[in-house]
Every structure is written in structure tokens, then in C-alpha cells.
Amino acid sequence: MNRLTARAASIGFWLTCITTHAQQPYTLSNTTSPDTLLRDRNGLLLDNETSTQPGNLQGQLVQLGYFSTASDGNLFSGSFNVLAEFQSGDSASGTVDVPNGRISLTAQFTLSLQVTNFPGGTEQKTYSAPSAYPAAGSPLAIRWYDAHTVTGNFNTMSATSWDWVSPTAVPATGINLNPSTAAGLAFQDNSHPFVASVPEPRCFALLLFSALGFLLRRRP
């Protein structure tokens, strides 16, 4: 191998290392204060389904994402795009009992469009992120459901201080998305903060279709 080939191989390895180690971690958390705990449609604390044997993949669906045309002036403009998702009872180690209503987890993004939940813990979940990340500075949002999947009711919270920072060649400092300390915190249904009060559109459409079918069947 000549020096030019060796140098090219060295550069290729160096770039691979950058891609592998470059990351941007976002920690989603809230305090034990009753004012910031997530709740279902009835105002009851979100059921994290932890038991005598805590573990990940328990609880209700929580998503980290962004709205396609959101700005600080309108945090919920456009369609909601999911960047990462997990269950409300998940933790970094996978063995911690997360109290009802709390979320406590980190999503880590890389230059190669990969996201890992539970980084540094004994259990990890790595998968492909969307085909592209949002533009730098786009407001991030946290959506939670009162069900294990995309069903039932949800609400979404965002803040003017929750800006997306893209992964860079140098690993960036982690960002904590905590409603207790968020500037400009707002909710998709602002009249019911921290409550999953918005019906999931597909479920609503199904109910409407079923009701219409019932009425048509009853016509003479």
C-alpha cells in the first residue's frame, strides 16, 4: 500500500469514526411535581405500568418530534413528524421503576440518521431516524398518548427554548427537554395542560364512520 492509498484509508477511517461518535442527545424528563406530571384523558396520572419487575417497553406511548412549519410564534403549525418514540415507563437502565406520570429517558441522534433510546444503559433500542432531520433551530415537541400505541387521546407540548440542534462532528452537549424549566412552554390543547385531551384523528374518524353505518342500517 503506497502512502497516498494509506492516507486515503486513514481519512476514510477517521470519517467513519466521526460518523459513529458524532451525536446529539436529548433527555426527556419531568419532575415529580404534580404540576408537570403527564395525565390521561381523565386527568389521572399516565399509567407507566411498572410492577414488582420494572422494565422498558411498559407504559404509554411518548414521541419526540417536531411540526413541519412550526416557529416560535406558532409551535404547532403543520404536520407532526416523529423523530423517536418510547414508552412512558422506560428508563436509561431498563431496570428503574419510573413513577406514573413521569418520563425519564434519553434519545441520542447521530450523523448517520440513527437514533438510540436508553444510551448507556443495559438495554438499548437503535433504529433508523427519518430520511432527514429538521432544520437547525426548529422547535421540538413531546407528544404523549393515554394508550400503548397511536390510539386514544393525546396532547403535545413544545417550548420556544426546545430548539433542534443537529449532530455535529464533535459530540454536542446534551439538551434536557424538561417542562419544569422550559421557556415559552405551550400545549396543542392549551386549555388542558399536561392532559391527553385531544382525540386521535384516526380513532375519531372510525367512530364517526361506525355511527354513520349504524344510522344507515336503521333507515326504513
Side-chain angles (χ1 to χ4, degrees):
M1 181 184 293
N2 59 37
R3 282 188 296 175
L4 183 61
T5 304
R7 184 179 179 187
S10 175
I11 291 174
F13 175 74
W14 182 65
L15 289 175
T16 301
C17 288
I18 287 177
T19 301
T20 302
H21 293 95
Q23 61 189 34
Q24 178 58 64
Y26 294 88
T27 300
L28 289 68
S29 67
N30 54 350
T31 65
T32 54
S33 167
D35 295 337
T36 65
L37 295 177
L38 304 183
R39 300 175 182 273
D40 65 16
R41 72 189 71 185
N42 299 313
L44 302 176
L45 292 180
L46 213 60
D47 185 5
N48 288 353
E49 297 183 8
T50 48
S51 61
T52 55
Q53 186 61 46
N56 289 329
L57 303 180
Q58 298 189 75
Q60 312 308 304
L61 180 64
V62 180
Q63 298 174 326
L64 172 64
Y66 66 99
F67 286 85
S68 56
T69 56
S71 64
D72 285 350
N74 188 348
L75 294 170
F76 307 103
S77 173
S79 58
F80 183 68
N81 299 283
V82 179
L83 291 168
E85 61 183 22
F86 56 94
Q87 309 302 134
S88 57
D90 291 353
S91 67
S93 68
T95 59
V96 175
D97 189 345
V98 181
N100 288 345
R102 283 210 69 191
I103 53 175
S104 179
L105 191 120
T106 300
Q108 181 173 283
F109 298 88
T110 70
L111 280 173
S112 56
L113 296 176
Q114 293 286 317
V115 56
T116 300
N117 291 343
F118 335 130
T122 57
E123 180 178 348
Q124 296 187 351
K125 176 185 178 183
T126 301
Y127 51 91
S128 296
S131 57
Y133 289 139
S138 296
L140 292 171
I142 298 173
R143 172 171 289 185
W144 73 98
Y145 288 82
D146 59 4
H148 191 75
T149 57
V150 184
T151 56
N153 282 22
F154 69 89
N155 206 343
T156 317
M157 57 183 168
S158 184
T160 56
S161 57
W162 289 357
D163 292 337
W164 168 259
V165 177
S166 300
T168 59
V170 179
T173 303
I175 296 175
N176 193 351
L177 305 180
N178 188 336
S180 304
T181 57
L185 183 69
F187 296 83
Q188 195 166 1
D189 180 3
N190 227 15
S191 60
H192 295 89
F194 296 103
V195 175
S197 55
V198 182
E200 209 289 321
R202 279 169 287 186
C203 295
F204 182 78
L206 181 61
L207 288 173
L208 185 61
F209 181 78
S210 299
L212 181 60
F214 177 77
L215 290 174
L216 290 176
R217 284 197 303 269
R218 289 181 58 88
R219 291 183 62 181

